[in-house]
Amino acid sequence: MSDQNYTRSEILENLSHIKTLTNYKTEYCNQTSIYFIVWGIIWMIAYPMPSFDLSAFSIGVSWFTLGIIGWAITLTIYMKQGKTDPLPLFLRAQLRYAWMGLFIILGVFLFLIYSNLLPYTFENILFYIVLVVSIMYLLLGIVLTKEIFFMGVWLSVLGMITFLFFPNVMNIIFAVIGGGSLVLTGLILKRKGHGNE
């Protein structure tokens, strides 16, 4: 009888743990999906611009403007979510470490570019952005789901192949691959969140 009670309590404890993790994942998926969709759309607008007959100044202003719009939307959504449906402490800690890792890697990239250890051309910068985003996918995939992790691997490999073998159509491919994969990730996260519910 004691063995049965022990087994039952173990089962209840495991079920409670699974329920907690599922709730965390649901919250995480639902709240982060919108960021991927927003930035995916901005990416799809920004990346094809060099393919048009625009000056470097016009492209730079357009990218800067789209960046400000993207961050304004991101901060507005973040503040709204923080008031109406704040993330659990566990998820906030996980997300903080993932973003810290991303900013450290971004800092390394900037240092290497500033030190002239990495080439500083417009085409290279576009490629570096894809690499940084793929690293972000890998970090978030460790925290979140394996689908995001594998998408990070796929994006980095495809980005390198495009940069090396298809430089003439790189901007269009990056717009479709990069922006499209961000939007797709957002939709996957949204669906996964609703599925966990």
Side-chain angles (χ1 to χ4, degrees), residues 2 4 51 53 56 92 107 112 130 134 153 156 159 161 188:
S2 62
Q4 284 183 340
S51 301
D53 193 18
R92 271 186 275 171
L112 292 173
V130 172
S134 65
V153 175
S156 60
I161 291 172
I188 289 172

Side-chain angles (χ1 to χ4, degrees), residues 13 21 45 54 76 139 151 193:
E13 186 178 341
L21 289 178
I45 295 170
L54 298 172
T76 303
L139 293 172
M151 196 169 287

Side-chain angles (χ1 to χ4, degrees), residues 1 23 44 83 102 150 166:
M1 186 71 178
N23 288 337
M44 292 172 80
K83 291 178 181 178
L102 178 65
F150 289 131
F166 306 103

Side-chain angles (χ1 to χ4, degrees), residues 1-11:
M1 186 71 178
S2 62
D3 288 342
Q4 284 183 340
N5 289 336
Y6 181 71
T7 304
R8 189 176 300 154
S9 67
E10 268 192 335
I11 291 170

Side-chain angles (χ1 to χ4, degrees), residues 41-178:
I41 292 170
I42 289 174
W43 192 326
M44 292 172 80
I45 295 170
Y47 257 94
M49 285 184 181
S51 301
F52 302 112
D53 193 18
L54 298 172
S55 65
F57 178 76
S58 300
I59 294 171
V61 169
S62 300
W63 275 59
F64 182 73
T65 305
L66 287 169
I68 290 175
I69 293 170
W71 280 110
I73 295 172
T74 300
L75 291 174
T76 303
I77 295 170
Y78 178 78
M79 298 296 287
K80 186 178 178 182
Q81 285 179 346
K83 291 178 181 178
T84 58
D85 195 15
L87 282 173
L89 289 174
F90 170 79
L91 284 181
R92 271 186 275 171
Q94 294 288 332
L95 186 60
R96 191 182 308 121
Y97 286 122
W99 283 112
M100 279 174 56
L102 178 65
F103 283 123
I104 289 170
I105 293 166
L106 184 61
V108 170
F109 265 95
L110 292 174
F111 172 77
L112 292 173
I113 292 170
Y114 182 76
S115 304
N116 292 323
L117 296 172
L118 286 176
Y120 183 70
T121 63
F122 187 71
E123 289 75 19
N124 286 97
I125 295 298
L126 296 180
F127 174 59
Y128 299 153
I129 292 172
V130 172
L131 285 183
V132 169
V133 170
S134 65
I135 292 169
M136 180 191 72
Y137 270 72
L138 296 174
L139 293 172
L140 290 178
I142 293 170
V143 175
L144 196 54
T145 63
K146 63 181 183 296
E147 290 89 349
I148 308 302
F149 182 84
F150 289 131
M151 196 169 287
V153 175
W154 169 80
L155 184 60
S156 60
V157 171
L158 212 50
M160 286 187 283
I161 291 172
T162 301
F163 181 73
L164 292 173
F165 299 108
F166 306 103
N168 294 333
V169 289
M170 184 176 66
N171 296 325
I172 302 299
I173 293 176
F174 280 173
V176 175
I177 293 171

